[in-house]
mmCIF file of all heavy atoms in Angstrom:
data_model
loop_
_atom_site.group_PDB
_atom_site.id
_atom_site.type_symbol
_atom_site.label_atom_id
_atom_site.label_comp_id
_atom_site.label_asym_id
_atom_site.label_seq_id
_atom_site.Cartn_x
_atom_site.Cartn_y
_atom_site.Cartn_z
ATOM 1 N N TYR A 13 64.969 34.060 150.582
ATOM 2 C CA TYR A 13 63.544 33.663 150.732
ATOM 3 C C TYR A 13 63.448 32.631 151.879
ATOM 4 O O TYR A 13 64.389 32.040 152.260
ATOM 5 C CB TYR A 13 62.956 33.127 149.431
ATOM 6 C CG TYR A 13 62.688 34.223 148.381
ATOM 7 C CD1 TYR A 13 63.464 34.398 147.257
ATOM 8 C CD2 TYR A 13 61.616 35.096 148.588
ATOM 9 C CE1 TYR A 13 63.204 35.413 146.357
ATOM 10 C CE2 TYR A 13 61.327 36.103 147.712
ATOM 11 C CZ TYR A 13 62.161 36.266 146.587
ATOM 12 O OH TYR A 13 61.800 37.297 145.684
ATOM 13 N N ASP A 14 62.133 32.571 152.347
ATOM 14 C CA ASP A 14 61.928 31.674 153.464
ATOM 15 C C ASP A 14 62.327 30.235 153.210
ATOM 16 O O ASP A 14 62.746 29.524 154.148
ATOM 17 C CB ASP A 14 60.407 31.640 153.809
ATOM 18 C CG ASP A 14 59.935 33.003 154.308
ATOM 19 O OD1 ASP A 14 60.858 33.784 154.766
ATOM 20 O OD2 ASP A 14 58.727 33.289 154.370
ATOM 21 N N ASN A 15 62.369 29.821 151.951
ATOM 22 C CA ASN A 15 62.788 28.459 151.609
ATOM 23 C C ASN A 15 64.343 28.344 151.592
ATOM 24 O O ASN A 15 64.857 27.291 151.212
ATOM 25 C CB ASN A 15 62.178 27.968 150.272
ATOM 26 C CG ASN A 15 62.631 28.835 149.122
ATOM 27 O OD1 ASN A 15 63.410 29.779 149.294
ATOM 28 N ND2 ASN A 15 62.180 28.520 147.961
ATOM 29 N N ARG A 17 66.368 30.008 149.684
ATOM 30 C CA ARG A 17 66.949 30.418 148.371
ATOM 31 C C ARG A 17 67.557 31.807 148.510
ATOM 32 O O ARG A 17 66.861 32.779 148.901
ATOM 33 C CB ARG A 17 65.815 30.412 147.364
ATOM 34 C CG ARG A 17 66.131 30.995 146.047
ATOM 35 C CD ARG A 17 66.764 29.966 145.125
ATOM 36 N NE ARG A 17 67.521 30.728 144.058
ATOM 37 C CZ ARG A 17 68.320 30.102 143.199
ATOM 38 N NH1 ARG A 17 68.451 28.746 143.239
ATOM 39 N NH2 ARG A 17 68.977 30.778 142.303
ATOM 40 N N VAL A 18 68.845 31.935 148.154
ATOM 41 C CA VAL A 18 69.521 33.280 148.153
ATOM 42 C C VAL A 18 69.250 33.890 146.794
ATOM 43 O O VAL A 18 69.916 33.536 145.811
ATOM 44 C CB VAL A 18 71.059 33.108 148.451
ATOM 45 C CG1 VAL A 18 71.663 34.503 148.399
ATOM 46 C CG2 VAL A 18 71.240 32.433 149.752
ATOM 47 N N ALA A 19 68.337 34.812 146.731
ATOM 48 C CA ALA A 19 67.928 35.439 145.461
ATOM 49 C C ALA A 19 68.847 36.548 145.064
ATOM 50 O O ALA A 19 69.177 36.800 143.906
ATOM 51 C CB ALA A 19 66.508 35.911 145.449
ATOM 52 N N GLY A 37 69.786 39.757 133.115
ATOM 53 C CA GLY A 37 70.385 38.420 133.439
ATOM 54 C C GLY A 37 69.314 37.376 133.068
ATOM 55 O O GLY A 37 68.179 37.760 132.831
ATOM 56 N N PRO A 38 69.787 36.141 133.038
ATOM 57 C CA PRO A 38 68.793 35.056 132.685
ATOM 58 C C PRO A 38 67.728 34.905 133.720
ATOM 59 O O PRO A 38 67.850 35.378 134.900
ATOM 60 C CB PRO A 38 69.684 33.811 132.604
ATOM 61 C CG PRO A 38 70.944 34.181 133.310
ATOM 62 C CD PRO A 38 71.066 35.641 133.323
ATOM 63 N N SER A 39 66.660 34.219 133.385
ATOM 64 C CA SER A 39 65.559 33.961 134.259
ATOM 65 C C SER A 39 66.052 33.377 135.531
ATOM 66 O O SER A 39 66.876 32.455 135.574
ATOM 67 C CB SER A 39 64.588 33.038 133.544
ATOM 68 O OG SER A 39 63.505 32.837 134.371
ATOM 69 N N GLY A 40 65.565 33.905 136.713
ATOM 70 C CA GLY A 40 66.004 33.322 138.025
ATOM 71 C C GLY A 40 67.183 33.948 138.580
ATOM 72 O O GLY A 40 67.676 33.475 139.683
ATOM 73 N N CYS A 41 67.776 34.900 137.927
ATOM 74 C CA CYS A 41 69.099 35.453 138.446
ATOM 75 C C CYS A 41 68.851 36.481 139.602
ATOM 76 O O CYS A 41 69.826 36.859 140.243
ATOM 77 C CB CYS A 41 69.858 36.142 137.310
ATOM 78 S SG CYS A 41 69.169 37.699 136.785
ATOM 79 N N GLY A 42 67.640 36.855 139.816
ATOM 80 C CA GLY A 42 67.367 37.719 141.017
ATOM 81 C C GLY A 42 67.044 39.156 140.666
ATOM 82 O O GLY A 42 66.899 39.989 141.579
ATOM 83 N N LYS A 43 66.878 39.497 139.379
ATOM 84 C CA LYS A 43 66.705 40.884 139.001
ATOM 85 C C LYS A 43 65.285 41.407 139.445
ATOM 86 O O LYS A 43 65.215 42.506 139.913
ATOM 87 C CB LYS A 43 66.892 41.054 137.476
ATOM 88 C CG LYS A 43 66.093 40.132 136.632
ATOM 89 C CD LYS A 43 66.686 40.162 135.190
ATOM 90 C CE LYS A 43 65.833 39.359 134.281
ATOM 91 N NZ LYS A 43 65.773 37.852 134.642
ATOM 92 N N SER A 44 64.250 40.581 139.346
ATOM 93 C CA SER A 44 62.987 41.024 139.809
ATOM 94 C C SER A 44 62.928 41.212 141.306
ATOM 95 O O SER A 44 62.350 42.163 141.857
ATOM 96 C CB SER A 44 61.827 40.049 139.424
ATOM 97 O OG SER A 44 61.811 39.879 138.072
ATOM 98 N N THR A 45 63.611 40.335 141.992
ATOM 99 C CA THR A 45 63.715 40.399 143.491
ATOM 100 C C THR A 45 64.365 41.711 143.823
ATOM 101 O O THR A 45 63.846 42.461 144.734
ATOM 102 C CB THR A 45 64.523 39.236 144.039
ATOM 103 O OG1 THR A 45 63.836 38.054 143.682
ATOM 104 C CG2 THR A 45 64.611 39.372 145.513
ATOM 105 N N LEU A 46 65.457 42.130 143.124
ATOM 106 C CA LEU A 46 66.127 43.397 143.416
ATOM 107 C C LEU A 46 65.146 44.559 143.197
ATOM 108 O O LEU A 46 65.055 45.480 144.008
ATOM 109 C CB LEU A 46 67.332 43.538 142.464
ATOM 110 C CG LEU A 46 68.527 44.369 142.924
ATOM 111 C CD1 LEU A 46 68.997 43.986 144.300
ATOM 112 C CD2 LEU A 46 69.663 44.217 141.950
ATOM 113 N N GLU A 54 59.125 43.286 148.499
ATOM 114 C CA GLU A 54 59.857 42.194 149.128
ATOM 115 C C GLU A 54 60.662 42.752 150.309
ATOM 116 O O GLU A 54 61.294 43.806 150.182
ATOM 117 C CB GLU A 54 60.898 41.532 148.179
ATOM 118 C CG GLU A 54 60.283 40.677 147.110
ATOM 119 C CD GLU A 54 59.484 39.480 147.552
ATOM 120 O OE1 GLU A 54 59.576 39.093 148.727
ATOM 121 O OE2 GLU A 54 58.718 38.986 146.690
ATOM 122 N N VAL A 191 64.002 46.263 134.351
ATOM 123 C CA VAL A 191 64.415 44.832 134.383
ATOM 124 C C VAL A 191 64.040 44.162 133.062
ATOM 125 O O VAL A 191 62.951 44.283 132.599
ATOM 126 C CB VAL A 191 63.682 44.153 135.587
ATOM 127 C CG1 VAL A 191 63.680 42.628 135.362
ATOM 128 C CG2 VAL A 191 64.313 44.465 136.910
HETATM 129 P P1 LIG B 1 64.428 36.890 137.818
HETATM 130 O O1 LIG B 1 63.579 38.093 137.933
HETATM 131 O O2 LIG B 1 65.919 37.184 137.491
HETATM 132 O O3 LIG B 1 63.837 35.896 136.869
HETATM 133 P P2 LIG B 1 63.683 36.372 140.573
HETATM 134 O O4 LIG B 1 64.134 37.553 141.272
HETATM 135 O O5 LIG B 1 62.189 36.296 140.256
HETATM 136 O O6 LIG B 1 64.499 36.152 139.255
HETATM 137 O O7 LIG B 1 64.024 35.057 141.394
HETATM 138 C C1 LIG B 1 65.373 34.818 141.875
HETATM 139 C C2 LIG B 1 65.367 33.457 142.524
HETATM 140 O O8 LIG B 1 64.559 33.467 143.701
HETATM 141 C C3 LIG B 1 64.831 32.351 141.689
HETATM 142 O O9 LIG B 1 65.561 31.177 141.965
HETATM 143 C C4 LIG B 1 63.387 32.100 142.139
HETATM 144 O O10 LIG B 1 62.993 30.822 141.963
HETATM 145 C C5 LIG B 1 63.539 32.493 143.628
HETATM 146 N N1 LIG B 1 62.262 33.035 144.160
HETATM 147 C C6 LIG B 1 61.606 34.112 143.631
HETATM 148 N N2 LIG B 1 60.521 34.412 144.387
HETATM 149 C C7 LIG B 1 60.518 33.518 145.438
HETATM 150 C C8 LIG B 1 59.668 33.278 146.569
HETATM 151 N N3 LIG B 1 58.628 34.027 146.780
HETATM 152 N N4 LIG B 1 60.013 32.216 147.333
HETATM 153 C C9 LIG B 1 61.055 31.498 147.149
HETATM 154 N N5 LIG B 1 61.937 31.630 146.134
HETATM 155 C C10 LIG B 1 61.673 32.658 145.222
#
Side-chain angles (χ1 to χ4, degrees):
Y13 283 106
D14 291 343
N15 62 2
R17 170 87 203 174
V18 180
S39 182
C41 72
K43 53 195 185 297
S44 302
T45 300
L46 204 54
E54 288 299 346
V191 160

